[in-house]
Amino acid sequence: MNRRTLLVTAGGITGLLGLGGYHQRRRLGRWSDRDDLRTARDLETPDPFLSASLTVTDSHLESALADLENLVGNARAASSGLEYEEQPQPVIDRTESRFEDARSVREEIAGELDEFAALSNEERLDRLEELRGALRGAGQALALAELERGECDPDAIDTALDALRDDYESVGRELDYYASDVSRAVVAYGELDELLEDVRVAINAGQRDLREAPPRSYARVPYGHARLDDVERFAEHLERDAADGADPELVGDRLNDRYLALRERTDSTLEEVDFEYDDEVSSYAMDLWLDRIARQSDGSDEHDEGRLALATRIAAKRYAHALSVEAFEDDRTLGFLDQLPADGFDTTGADVREAKRRAGDALDDRLEADGDDRLVRYLCVGVADELEWQDRRLELALDDINDADSQEWSIELERLHRGYLEIAELAAVLPEASAVVEEE
């Protein structure tokens, strides 16, 4: 029986009145925190807009629309008049829902056909992502109908996935890095590498789910081929826009060297961090590294696949985080309740408000001082995303301000406080990570 149930059961109406008084006292005691957190929530934060490195032409968008229209038409024809008897009803329902979503995307973007030229490149990229994503819904509908008709089976889908893998490997081998500087290569070609990784993940997922969800597996085939087409189109533009004399072999060698240097710097930096708060308690630096960074890719798989721009981008971000965690080696962990102070922390809403202000100022200062460095700006976008996530957590804390007991509330305030301080520290060290990439 929890405390609230115990109060009501033991005291009847008196317990209810007492409980109301209990909550009222809690609300009164937290008014100051509430006001400070609301002020923190309303503070404006910088938006480090990063112009797209990849160019979407009108013809590219028109081709993507035609790809979707063709697949939607094939799926509609294959399912016309078909009574599904062999497929589970939940699969049929989900497939029909996704197919309707794909048709809606097709109709909406087809209605903008005459306006493509007026769209910004960023808007075209958004439309392209919608069109490519909708291929999955249409592909799943086509596969479900053909499975029902006996016109394909898991073995045929597996063969199609193998063919997609061959194409993926061919496109990857032929992708060269044409760039006049390594920082631009890391950002621009990092996006192409990311698209290639997306295809690789789609192939692996398709083969993993082949027996249990063959329509979903097949849907990854048209999606993967379309993404490979995107990579080739984007690569043509990047090569055309590169400065005369750009040598992709030299850039590739340089990226490989910078990736290895970043890995080495990260390891040596972490060796200097004290991950123990005292003899029996880990530091908050340990929380940050294990919970936020260590579980993410370190770039080694991407490096092994030859995705050097993406691997270097990952390594640069990882090195920046390694540099930032040292600031928290003198703070105790928040990961284990039995290692926290019995009476919680002394953090107030005002502390959170000032930490939020500091995080925003740090990001603003970084953009002002180093915003022309394309890699720094890219990393700033990641910092802004973390700031946005932290703001969502602050909003949730405001919603639940009267639900936590005193220790829980003090811990939540401390989490918010440290979260904003993390962002400030991370913003401060971004140039150091970029400098490693730029070193000769």
Side-chain angles (χ1 to χ4, degrees):
M1 182 179 293
N2 61 35
R3 182 181 181 189
R4 183 175 299 177
T5 304
L6 180 63
L7 284 170
V8 174
T9 303
I13 297 299
T14 302
L16 286 171
L17 293 173
L19 183 60
Y22 170 75
H23 280 288
Q24 182 65 17
R25 288 193 300 275
R26 180 178 291 176
R27 284 194 293 270
L28 288 170
R30 292 177 184 168
W31 273 0
S32 177
D33 286 341
R34 180 204 61 186
D35 292 343
D36 285 323
L37 293 181
R38 286 179 176 175
T39 300
R41 178 195 60 193
D42 295 337
L43 289 173
E44 292 188 9
T45 54
D47 180 11
F49 175 77
L50 178 67
S51 60
S53 301
L54 307 179
T55 300
V56 181
T57 62
D58 290 356
S59 61
H60 189 173
L61 206 52
E62 290 164 4
S63 176
L65 178 59
D67 290 340
L68 180 58
E69 288 178 333
N70 183 58
L71 193 56
V72 165
N74 290 340
R76 184 187 294 114
S79 60
S80 178
L82 187 62
E83 295 291 334
Y84 290 97
E85 297 178 355
E86 301 297 326
Q87 309 302 322
Q89 190 61 44
V91 173
I92 297 171
D93 292 342
R94 285 195 299 270
T95 300
E96 290 179 346
S97 175
R98 294 197 66 188
F99 183 56
E100 287 304 313
D101 290 342
R103 290 178 59 186
S104 296
V105 169
R106 186 202 68 80
E107 291 171 4
E108 179 182 349
I109 297 181
E112 298 179 344
L113 187 59
D114 294 336
E115 303 172 10
F116 283 173
L119 298 176
S120 69
N121 191 54
E122 284 70 28
E123 289 172 328
R124 290 178 188 160
L125 275 169
D126 288 340
R127 302 300 190 277
L128 181 64
E129 289 301 313
E130 291 181 72
L131 289 168
R132 293 320 195 192
L135 287 173
R136 292 192 177 190
Q140 192 167 325
L142 175 60
L144 190 70
E146 291 187 345
L147 284 164
E148 183 69 28
R149 293 180 182 277
E151 295 174 355
C152 85
D153 57 28
D155 288 338
I157 297 172
D158 192 29
T159 298
L161 286 166
D162 284 339
L164 175 59
R165 188 181 296 278
D166 290 340
D167 288 347
Y168 154 77
E169 292 174 351
S170 175
V171 171
R173 284 193 300 270
E174 294 173 2
L175 178 63
D176 291 319
Y177 297 135
Y178 286 90
S180 55
D181 64 86
V182 175
S183 181
R184 176 167 175 74
V186 168
V187 176
Y189 282 96
E191 294 183 44
L192 287 193
D193 282 349
E194 202 164 33
L195 284 177
L196 283 170
E197 283 298 292
D198 186 34
V199 175
R200 184 172 71 91
V201 168
I203 295 168
N204 292 341
Q207 292 181 323
R208 183 188 65 234
D209 298 337
L210 185 59
R211 301 301 166 182
E212 293 185 0
R216 194 166 62 210
S217 290
Y218 173 79
R220 294 181 167 94
V221 174
Y223 171 80
H225 282 298
R227 295 271 75 173
L228 292 178
D229 179 66
D230 293 339
V231 169
E232 292 180 312
R233 287 174 179 266
F234 289 141
E236 288 177 5
H237 279 280
L238 289 174
E239 181 178 350
R240 190 180 308 129
D241 294 342
D244 292 340
D247 188 331
E249 185 174 351
L250 290 178
V251 174
D253 290 344
R254 180 90 181 278
L255 285 171
N256 184 64
D257 178 70
R258 295 301 83 205
Y259 167 76
L260 296 175
L262 285 162
R263 289 288 302 268
E264 183 178 348
R265 298 283 184 92
T266 299
D267 291 343
S268 61
T269 297
L270 292 175
E271 288 176 0
E272 299 299 319
V273 177
D274 188 353
F275 287 110
E276 289 189 357
Y277 176 77
D278 59 29
D279 291 340
E280 298 180 354
V281 178
S282 62
S283 70
Y284 189 59
M286 177 71 81
D287 288 3
L288 290 181
W289 188 255
L290 290 183
D291 294 343
R292 306 284 181 85
I293 309 303
R295 297 178 184 179
Q296 300 178 18
S297 170
D298 63 359
S300 57
D301 288 343
E302 292 79 2
H303 179 266
D304 292 344
E305 285 287 323
R307 310 278 76 83
L308 299 178
L310 179 57
T312 304
R313 197 180 74 184
I314 291 171
K317 178 181 177 181
R318 192 177 177 87
Y319 178 48
H321 276 279
L323 290 168
S324 70
V325 300
E326 184 180 8
F328 301 94
E329 62 184 5
D330 292 330
D331 297 317
R332 68 166 60 232
T333 179
L334 289 178
F336 305 97
L337 292 178
D338 61 348
Q339 294 181 351
L340 298 177
D343 55 351
F345 296 89
D346 295 329
T347 312
T348 65
D351 295 326
V352 175
R353 181 195 66 217
E354 291 310 307
K356 165 74 180 289
R357 192 187 309 279
R358 176 177 165 184
D361 289 346
L363 182 55
D364 204 22
D365 291 346
R366 185 55 49 231
L367 289 167
E368 181 70 24
D370 303 283
D372 291 339
D373 183 314
R374 194 161 179 82
L375 179 55
V376 171
R377 183 168 285 273
Y378 171 83
L379 294 172
C380 281
V381 172
V383 173
D385 289 342
E386 295 197 26
L387 188 51
E388 182 180 350
W389 182 90
Q390 188 69 12
D391 285 345
R392 290 198 295 270
R393 182 164 196 162
L394 186 151
E395 192 71 50
L396 290 174
L398 275 168
D399 291 342
D400 299 336
I401 192 169
N402 293 310
D403 294 339
D405 63 28
S406 296
Q407 186 187 41
E408 290 170 343
W409 180 243
S410 74
I411 293 171
E412 184 59 31
L413 286 175
E414 181 64 9
R415 286 189 190 279
L416 291 169
H417 180 234
R418 293 188 189 184
Y420 286 119
L421 293 181
E422 294 164 33
I423 293 168
E425 293 294 335
L426 182 59
V429 300
L430 296 184
E432 294 184 57
S434 178
V436 177
V437 175
E438 297 289 353
E439 286 178 3
E440 295 293 339

